[in-house]
Amino acid sequence: MILPLASADLLPKVIMGVDPGTQIMGYAVIEVQGQQVNVLRYDVIDMKKLGTNHALKLKKIYERMTELIEEFLPDELAIEAPFFGVNVQSMLKLGRAQGVAIAACLSRQIPYVEYAPTKVKQSVTGSGNATKEQVAHMLRQTLKLPPIEEAPKFLDATDALAVAMCHHYQKGNNVKAGGKSWGKFLADNPSKLAAPVAGKKATAAKKKPAA
């Protein structure tokens, strides 16, 4: 049965936000139902200990993204576009990191949307020139997040949360990669699910009967 638009908007939706990086990659997962937003998790993938081995970093990004997908079953991915700086090599590496995160979602048929950094800041703070600290402060007020030290790690996580919120504010109107969710993929293709790697939560999610 096709639900009316008003009813469809009230269905819960899980959005994953990602702030790409080659040293620290921020990620956030939110659940949205109507205008109610529940922050499920926001944290980082720390790759500093991997040194200069870019291949190992890409591998870690893919594996961690896969774990998060299996744990939270996101419906959509929102990811920040790389900032065009003067260092071409850094841009290439950042683009690869972003591509691997996107590939992990597309392999589960999760649609993605890319947002420019200024668009994310504008949607959260009202200014496209806002600092990381200003973005974090506005998110704490909007989402009533607990106080936390504004360390660089925290700011990468709140940047990813801002990307997820930006997508929420757009109401998913910019989804371009198809409409299937990972949860729908599991329901349609139970035999294709890989062995769980996200611990007990992933196992529980896999065994949860379809609604």
Side-chain angles (χ1 to χ4, degrees):
M1 180 180 67
I2 299 177
L3 295 175
L5 182 60
S7 299
D9 287 342
L10 295 178
L11 293 175
K13 176 191 293 184
V14 177
I15 300 171
M16 177 183 289
V18 170
D19 177 32
T22 56
Q23 297 287 347
I24 299 287
M25 176 176 283
Y27 69 86
V29 185
I30 63 174
E31 183 180 58
V32 177
Q33 189 164 16
Q35 293 303 310
Q36 181 67 35
V37 178
N38 181 28
V39 180
L40 303 181
R41 183 181 300 171
Y42 61 113
D43 205 339
V44 299
I45 304 172
D46 191 339
M47 294 164 283
K48 290 182 179 179
K49 293 182 179 179
L50 298 178
T52 59
N53 192 322
H54 192 58
L56 282 180
K57 293 178 180 180
L58 296 179
K59 182 174 182 288
K60 181 168 184 177
I61 290 170
Y62 188 87
E63 290 176 344
R64 184 65 182 130
M65 285 291 295
T66 300
E67 291 175 354
L68 292 168
I69 289 167
E70 292 183 353
E71 181 175 358
F72 292 103
L73 307 180
D75 296 292
E76 296 164 1
L77 168 72
I79 191 164
E80 189 170 280
F83 177 76
F84 289 91
V86 295
N87 190 322
V88 177
Q89 287 299 319
S90 295
M91 277 298 304
L92 286 173
K93 290 180 179 179
L94 187 59
R96 290 172 189 145
Q98 185 207 39
V100 167
I102 291 173
C105 285
L106 290 181
S107 70
R108 269 64 177 181
Q109 301 189 37
I110 298 170
Y112 79 95
V113 183
E114 188 178 45
Y115 292 99
T118 52
K119 175 69 174 180
V120 174
K121 295 174 182 178
Q122 174 73 34
S123 68
V124 172
T125 70
S127 170
N129 296 316
T131 64
K132 285 176 173 286
E133 290 80 7
Q134 288 171 329
V135 169
H137 177 72
M138 184 60 70
L139 288 171
R140 281 205 306 272
Q141 288 189 326
T142 303
L143 300 172
K144 297 179 174 58
L145 300 175
I148 189 169
E149 182 183 355
E150 291 185 355
K153 170 183 175 179
F154 170 71
L155 293 175
D156 286 317
T158 49
D159 277 353
L161 184 55
V163 179
M165 290 300 296
C166 174
H167 184 62
H168 163 54
Y169 293 145
Q170 300 301 308
K171 297 189 180 297
N173 292 331
N174 294 327
V175 175
K176 300 175 182 177
K180 290 187 177 180
S181 69
W182 176 221
K184 179 69 163 57
F185 178 80
L186 286 182
D188 293 343
N189 304 275
S191 63
K192 294 186 178 182
L193 178 64
V197 293
K200 295 181 180 179
K201 290 185 178 180
T203 303
K206 182 181 71 172
K207 292 182 178 179
K208 183 178 180 181

